[in-house]
């Protein structure tokens, strides 16, 4: 299931009803990319992901770039690796005790599915909020949250994206929801 369809987004966020479905879908897809890179996990299923192992000798344990893995297979120089005795930690994306037919093989590729069946409600809500903020902001001239405002001095400070500060989008509510699902850096 997708993060949200244009119809779902318009039903939950009536400010989007005047926007073309394609624009809403594009904004949600943009959010999905940000969410997956920032949180280090996929909130929808991605089948047939591949990971080439370049280390030689081939490692006994492999950490895949994705969590919630399933349907794992490994091709080693054209030979399928038997993983029945291997340890597969689906939640963390780790495959352990891989019985390589040749640890110095030229090619080793893991094919797998990763992600969850559907995003949690908070992530769907964040996707819809992100789409609304981006699309409405494009036409309003006020596309960012205000951080501080000084009336006498006439200055205004806006919230901007800053991944290291926990603000991948620069929209405070969207970022709060994303931070509640972020894996520690280096985990995946």
């Amino acid at each position: 299931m997708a993060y949200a369809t244009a119809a779902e987004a318009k039903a939950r966020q009536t400010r989007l009803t005047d926007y073309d479905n394609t624009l809403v879908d594009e904004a949600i897809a943009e959010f999905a990319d940000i969410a997956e890179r920032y949180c280090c996990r996929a909130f929808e299923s991605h089948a047939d992901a591949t990971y080439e192992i370049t280390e030689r000798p081939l490692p006994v344990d492999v950490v895949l770039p994705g969590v919630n893995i399933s349907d794992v297979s490994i091709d080693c120089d054209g030979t399928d690796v038997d993983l029945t005795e291997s340890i597969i930690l689906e939640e963390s994306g780790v495959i352990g005790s891989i019985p390589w037919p040749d640890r110095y093989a030229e090619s080793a590729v893991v094919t797998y599915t990763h992600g969850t069946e559907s995003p949690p409600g908070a992530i769907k809500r964040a996707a819809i909020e992100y789409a609304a903020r981006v699309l409405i902001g494009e036409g309003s001239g006020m596309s960012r949250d205000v951080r501080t405002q000084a009336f006498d001095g006439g200055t205004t400070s806006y919230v901007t994206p800053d991944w290291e500060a926990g603000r991948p989008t620069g929209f405070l509510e969207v970022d709060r929801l994303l931070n509640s699902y972020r894996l520690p850096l280096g985990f995946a």
Side-chain angles (χ1 to χ4, degrees):
M1 177 182 279
Y3 281 73
T5 64
E8 286 177 307
K10 289 179 176 185
R12 288 187 69 169
Q13 190 63 264
T14 56
R15 299 179 297 167
L16 290 171
T17 55
D18 293 337
Y19 292 91
D20 181 72
N21 285 353
T22 302
L23 291 174
V24 175
D25 287 336
E26 287 173 356
I28 291 171
E30 180 180 306
F31 170 82
D33 179 58
I34 292 169
E36 291 186 8
R37 286 185 298 121
Y38 181 72
C39 294
C40 301
R41 65 170 90 193
F43 294 107
E44 59 187 351
S45 183
H46 294 280
D48 297 324
T50 59
Y51 177 70
E52 183 176 359
I53 303 167
T54 57
E55 181 182 339
R56 297 296 179 272
L58 292 167
V60 176
D61 303 323
V62 172
V63 180
L64 297 172
V67 296
N68 300 96
I69 62 167
S70 60
D71 303 324
V72 178
S73 65
I74 301 177
D75 179 282
C76 181
D77 278 347
T79 302
D80 288 335
V81 177
D82 180 7
L83 298 174
T84 55
E85 299 296 319
S86 296
I87 300 165
I88 300 176
L89 303 175
E90 295 173 354
E91 289 289 317
S92 62
V94 174
I95 306 170
S97 302
I98 301 171
W100 297 108
D102 177 4
R103 291 202 56 210
Y104 292 94
E106 287 186 33
S107 171
V109 177
V110 181
T111 303
Y112 61 102
T113 298
H114 71 101
T116 57
E117 254 184 67
S118 66
I123 294 296
K124 286 181 95 166
R125 201 167 78 243
I128 294 167
E129 178 67 16
Y130 179 85
R133 297 297 301 273
V134 166
L135 294 173
I136 293 165
E138 286 177 350
S140 73
M142 175 89 167
S143 62
R144 292 279 147 210
D145 291 342
V146 173
R147 179 192 321 261
T148 59
Q149 200 166 31
F151 294 101
D152 293 334
T155 62
T156 303
S157 172
Y158 296 98
V159 179
T160 57
D162 181 347
W163 285 42
E164 289 182 18
R167 298 187 315 266
T169 69
F171 301 122
L172 295 176
E173 179 61 7
V174 174
D175 292 342
R176 179 189 71 80
L177 293 168
L178 282 174
N179 281 312
S180 67
Y181 285 92
R182 187 174 194 197
L183 292 176
L185 292 177
F187 180 79

